[in-house]
Amino acid sequence: LMTLYRIYTERRDNLATLAGRYFDDGFILIQAEGFWQGEGEFSTIIEVITDDDAYSRIICLARDILATNSQQSVYITRQLVVLTEVTP
């Protein structure tokens, strides 16, 4: 089993750079539309799938996003997933 982490945050141009500091082996940025306190906003979901214990790096990334982008909060989810890699 692998662990899928998701960080939900406001869309900012610096998210790839921030996430790359902690997960240089790969991550996914998904652009979305979210709502915060009744107001629509452009959002990004950062996905990381890993087989190691990356929880402390996820927390550090979330704190870095909070501080750098002056946000009130970000959300983190974590779930176990089965990963199947398809190759030629």
Side-chain angles (χ1 to χ4, degrees):
L1 288 176
M2 307 280 281
T3 304
L4 167 63
Y5 294 95
R6 288 188 180 113
I7 298 176
Y8 299 82
T9 184
E10 291 179 13
R11 188 179 304 168
R12 299 287 178 93
D13 292 336
N14 63 353
L15 294 176
T17 300
L18 294 175
R21 291 180 188 166
Y22 299 95
F23 298 99
D24 60 356
D25 52 337
F27 56 89
I28 296 171
L29 299 178
I30 301 169
Q31 305 307 319
E33 183 178 358
F35 291 84
W36 174 250
Q37 298 180 341
E39 297 292 325
E41 66 181 13
F42 294 113
S43 302
T44 299
I45 303 163
I46 303 168
E47 284 194 344
V48 177
I49 300 174
T50 182
D51 61 355
D52 66 12
D53 184 17
Y55 184 72
S56 62
R57 288 187 289 155
I58 289 289
I59 294 297
C60 288
L61 172 54
R63 289 182 176 149
D64 202 359
I65 291 169
L66 284 172
T68 303
N69 295 341
S70 301
Q71 290 189 234
Q72 293 179 355
S73 68
V74 299
Y75 293 131
I76 298 170
T77 62
R78 172 175 56 177
Q79 69 186 81
L80 294 178
V81 296
V82 175
L83 177 68
T84 302
E85 182 178 5
V86 178
T87 59

